[in-house]
Each structure stands twice: as structure tokens, then as C-alpha cells.
Amino acid sequence: MTRPKIGLALSGGGARGLAHIGVLKILTSAGIPIDCISGTSMGGLIAAAYASGISVDVLEEEARRITRMREMIKLVDVSSPTRGIVKGKQFQEYLTTLFPQEICIEELTTPLALVATDLISAREVTLSSGPLLPAVLATTAFPGLFPPLEMDGCRLVDGGVLNNLPVRQVREMGADIILAVDVQFNPLLELPWQEINMRPSWPFPFPDFFLDFYRAELMMVAKLTQAHLEQVKPEFYLHPSIPQDITIFMGFARTDEIIACGETSALEVLPLLMEKMR
């Protein structure tokens, strides 16, 4: 290979993670090769879809289809609140339409690394080999919403607990140029926290303690992400300007808007990226 090796790291962020599709649209339309890709949570789901050969056009159409309210309701199978509010069986069945159970990560067209968190050892776990479907289920197992995935003596949940933007993984896969796409709202960067609307638009009222918890979670993720970026500095850091009221769980109705935010973010860095590749 005579050109630099390009690595793409996609963060978690729930509905906001649909912006990753917009980034992929711009990169692929510009002919930018993606030699390896990593992801956490929603970023992990989209990274797995891309690495398995699903075209960006198909991915965008599927995002529009599955985020319709009548389709999302089909994915929710409420359980007794033991390990997760949602059983996750319907979600798993949906994922099998994207990732057949016999496919392994090492067989994918693009090298892939997904990040999960082991609740037993309290450590970050990188999944870069073995069956793809369980790895996707592990990285998307948001604590409290989905039950943990038991795998090889580990109890795995969403990788965003410890590493919401897995830049180290693509560097370890040999990337010379890393594009890190962080879709999570960052209260440390965007505005002084005193000026941010503490009550984003929700479809139904939440008690104040939930809003406090939500804000605290955003702050913790932002701090951890900042630490990871200081350890492994990506050549390009993309932070799409997604409206604050598009939250992790309540933004799926605005799929087109979120994807467009990703496109805008990628277009801003595209000239610099192409120059660096030369």
C-alpha cells in the first residue's frame, strides 16, 4: 500500500449515532477508502454493518425504515425489571437480518473492532474476532435497558461505559490517519453548562432526578472521551453539530436531520483529509 491507511472510529450516542451514516456517505462518495473501522454502541452497530459489506445507500434506507415509530415498537419486548427493561429478543431477531449468525468478525470485508465493557472485571473489552452477532449485541447493551451479554466468562454491556470513542483500536489495526467521529453531546465543549437547557424536548415529562442523571452521564462520557483522545490523538476529530434536543433515546424521528449533520461535518474536513492523503 503506497497511500496512508485510513481508520474510522465511530462513537456511541443512540439516535445521534445516525450521523455516522452521513459521514460514511461523504467519505464513500469522495472515494475515500476505509481500511479499518471501530465502533461503540450505535457507532458499533453502524461500523459492523459497513464492515460486513452493507452499502451506505442501503444502510441509509434501512435507518429510515427502522426508525419509524411502528417499526421501533416491534423491537421493544418489555420484561420484568431484573437485568433490563427490554428483553432484547426482538432486537436480536432484527439484527440477524443484518448479521447472519454464522458470520465471524475476521471474515468481514473491512477489519472491525467493537468495544464492550465487562461488568465482572470492570475493564474495556475489544471484540475483533469471533461471531459478529454477539459482539454487536454486547456493544449495544445499554445498561438498564438491555440485559448484559454473558460471553466467555464476561458480563458485557455497552462499551460507552468506559470508552465511547474507540480511537486506540483503529490505531492498533494499523491506521496512519484516524477520523474520530464523536456524536455525543459534550457539555464541556459546546457551551458553559449554566447556559444549556436542562430540559431538552422529551415526548413525555421526566422527573428532575432523571434529567440530573442524564446530564451527569453526558459529563462522565465527555471526560472519559477527552482522556482517550489525549492518549491516542486522531488526525481528524469530527463532532457533528447535532441539535441538543436530539437526545440518545428520543431523536429517532429526526433521522434525515441527523444524517445531514453527519454529512456537513464530513464535508468540512474532506479537503484537509484529501490533502493529507496526498
Side-chain angles (χ1 to χ4, degrees), residues 24 34 88 181 198 200:
L24 285 168
I34 299 173
V181 188
M198 289 293 289

Side-chain angles (χ1 to χ4, degrees), residues 6 34-37 47 50-53 105 107-113 173:
I6 309 298
I34 299 173
D35 299 296
C36 53
I37 189 167
Y50 179 84
S52 62
I105 296 174
E107 300 170 349
L108 301 178
T109 56
T110 303
L112 169 71
M173 285 191 281

Side-chain angles (χ1 to χ4, degrees), residues 160-226:
V161 172
L162 291 178
N163 186 356
N164 200 51
L165 182 57
V167 290
R168 175 177 55 81
Q169 282 72 12
V170 281
R171 187 70 84 196
E172 290 175 349
M173 285 191 281
D176 302 303
I177 298 175
I178 296 177
L179 287 83
V181 188
D182 185 3
V183 299
Q184 188 64 282
F185 176 75
N186 188 340
L188 308 177
L189 283 180
E190 302 191 30
L191 286 171
W193 69 267
Q194 296 92 338
E195 300 177 20
I196 295 176
N197 176 18
M198 289 293 289
R199 289 185 174 275
S201 299
W202 303 93
F204 42 82
F206 279 99
D208 287 342
F209 77 82
F210 178 86
L211 299 176
D212 291 340
F213 173 81
Y214 177 71
R215 172 150 192 86
E217 188 267 342
L218 292 177
M219 294 169 66
M220 289 187 291
V221 168
K223 278 290 189 181
L224 284 170
T225 298
Q226 186 179 67

Side-chain angles (χ1 to χ4, degrees), residues 34-189:
I34 299 173
D35 299 296
C36 53
I37 189 167
S38 67
T40 294
S41 197
M42 178 62 85
L45 174 56
I46 292 174
Y50 179 84
S52 62
I54 298 176
S55 72
V56 178
D57 289 341
V58 170
L59 190 56
E60 182 177 17
E61 283 305 308
E62 179 59 16
R64 290 197 180 102
R65 184 193 72 83
I66 199 63
T67 54
R68 298 188 183 111
M69 182 59 70
R70 65 176 179 271
E71 296 298 329
M72 293 199 69
I73 289 175
K74 296 177 184 178
L75 302 180
V76 178
D77 44 2
V78 179
S79 69
S80 58
T82 53
R83 282 290 184 185
I85 297 174
V86 177
K87 293 179 183 177
K89 294 295 184 183
Q90 299 292 343
F91 181 59
Q92 181 174 341
E93 288 183 12
Y94 166 70
L95 289 183
T96 59
T97 66
L98 301 177
F99 314 115
Q101 296 190 30
E102 64 273 12
I103 293 181
C104 289
I105 296 174
E106 55 268 36
E107 300 170 349
L108 301 178
T109 56
T110 303
L112 169 71
L114 301 180
V115 175
T117 303
D118 181 17
L119 294 179
I120 296 176
S121 64
R123 63 184 178 90
E124 174 187 332
V125 176
T126 299
L127 303 168
S128 55
S129 63
L132 175 61
L133 180 59
V136 175
L137 287 169
T139 193
T140 56
F142 191 89
L145 180 62
F146 292 109
L149 186 77
E150 305 288 341
M151 180 192 296
D152 299 329
C154 297
R155 187 170 297 147
L156 301 178
V157 296
D158 195 313
V161 172
L162 291 178
N163 186 356
N164 200 51
L165 182 57
V167 290
R168 175 177 55 81
Q169 282 72 12
V170 281
R171 187 70 84 196
E172 290 175 349
M173 285 191 281
D176 302 303
I177 298 175
I178 296 177
L179 287 83
V181 188
D182 185 3
V183 299
Q184 188 64 282
F185 176 75
N186 188 340
L188 308 177
L189 283 180

